[in-house]
Amino acid sequence: MSGAFITLEGGDGSGKTTQAGLLQAWLEEQGRTVVRTREPGGTELGIEIRRLVQHTEGHVAPRAEALLYAADRAQHVATLVRPALERGEVVLQDRYLDSSVAYQGAGRELDGTQIRDLSLWATDGLLPHLTILLDIDPAAGRERMAGRADAPYDRLEDTGLDFAERVRDAYLALAEAEPTRFAVVEASGSPDEVHARVVSPVRAMLDTRR
Ligand code: TYD
């Protein structure tokens, strides 16, 4: 069976983690071996980079932030993602290069094309077979986050709603630019309702890769 690389993207509070869990269970029911992972932090080195980029006190210059995410991604793809795909497994990943384009490109107002090129260099050009964009109004996303008792401290979440709006708009523009790679899923509703919307593009993509 050929491997498949699925990424989940979306703003804070869009429900990626919940949907990743439901989708992993569904994929396993289909008989697939799933490697569930995330960025930043999917490798040992990545855990250290995650700590640096998210918890450093004081200012991290936007370009430094972009390079840290790219370094995490390079290590992750080389040591975990590509080997799993070569074994024919499904890699189900919370965030990938589109996060960098949306957060560092649009959010931090760096050049989105350069940020994308940096990630493509870091990963030797690896793009997902399918990217699910969980789209939610940023204000609704923040409300969901506020209800989460375990919400970790995250420097980016200190940013304002205008930041979150820029991130959302950038994601939607990315989806429009690459309609065959992206599936935009309305992320409001119950976990099961959203899961049903997520499954159909996944099923379609897997059918084309049999
Ligand atoms: P995390 O705590 O993993 O939670 P979630 O993915 O559920 O939001 O937070 C990851 C943060 O890192 C999130 O605020 C977005 C940010 N991020 C970037 O800014 N650029 C990137 O390339 C990636 C992968 C993440």
Side-chain angles (χ1 to χ4, degrees):
M1 224 180 281
S2 43
F5 185 23
I6 303 170
T7 57
L8 289 166
E9 295 282 357
D12 297 313
S14 58
K16 292 187 309 310
T17 308
T18 305
Q19 290 307 319
L22 294 171
L23 184 55
Q24 176 175 12
W26 183 85
L27 286 161
E28 286 171 353
E29 272 167 33
Q30 312 300 304
R32 300 300 305 243
T33 302
V34 179
V35 175
R36 184 167 154 203
T37 184
R38 69 167 180 184
E39 288 183 6
T43 61
E44 221 173 288
L45 176 63
I47 290 167
E48 291 196 40
I49 296 175
R50 180 184 174 88
R51 188 177 52 76
L52 286 174
V53 77
Q54 292 194 342
H55 296 277
T56 303
E57 296 199 2
H59 183 66
V60 179
R63 283 167 195 262
E65 182 180 274
L67 286 165
L68 286 170
Y69 283 115
D72 168 64
R73 187 158 299 133
Q75 180 74 5
H76 192 214
V77 165
T79 65
L80 191 136
V81 178
R82 278 193 195 275
L85 294 174
E86 279 158 18
R87 292 194 299 270
E89 296 171 2
V90 177
V91 176
L92 176 56
Q93 184 168 318
D94 198 332
R95 298 192 180 281
Y96 188 53
L97 88 172
D98 303 299
S99 278
S100 284
V101 178
Y103 284 78
Q104 281 64 57
R108 299 290 191 213
E109 298 179 274
L110 294 171
D111 180 319
T113 307
Q114 288 181 344
I115 294 292
R116 183 184 157 91
D117 287 348
L118 177 65
S119 274
L120 288 174
W121 180 81
T123 62
D124 201 10
L126 183 71
L127 282 173
H129 298 105
L130 176 66
T131 298
I132 306 275
L133 171 57
L134 292 169
D135 181 50
I136 192 157
D137 171 60
R142 293 214 163 187
E143 230 163 84
R144 273 191 185 170
M145 290 291 293
R148 248 175 64 182
D150 67 326
Y153 174 69
D154 180 344
R155 280 185 319 107
L156 281 175
E157 284 156 18
D158 275 352
T159 53
L161 260 191
D162 59 326
F163 182 100
E165 296 281 4
R166 287 202 301 280
V167 167
R168 184 196 197 186
D169 291 348
Y171 269 136
L172 290 171
L174 284 167
E176 209 171 284
E178 281 182 83
T180 48
R181 172 162 71 91
F182 272 90
V184 181
V185 167
E186 161 67 55
S188 61
S190 72
D192 285 343
E193 281 164 352
V194 179
H195 174 62
R197 293 176 206 137
V198 165
V199 160
S200 73
V202 172
R203 194 195 296 278
M205 181 275 291
L206 291 176
D207 283 347
T208 64
R209 297 187 54 73
R210 259 176 215 293

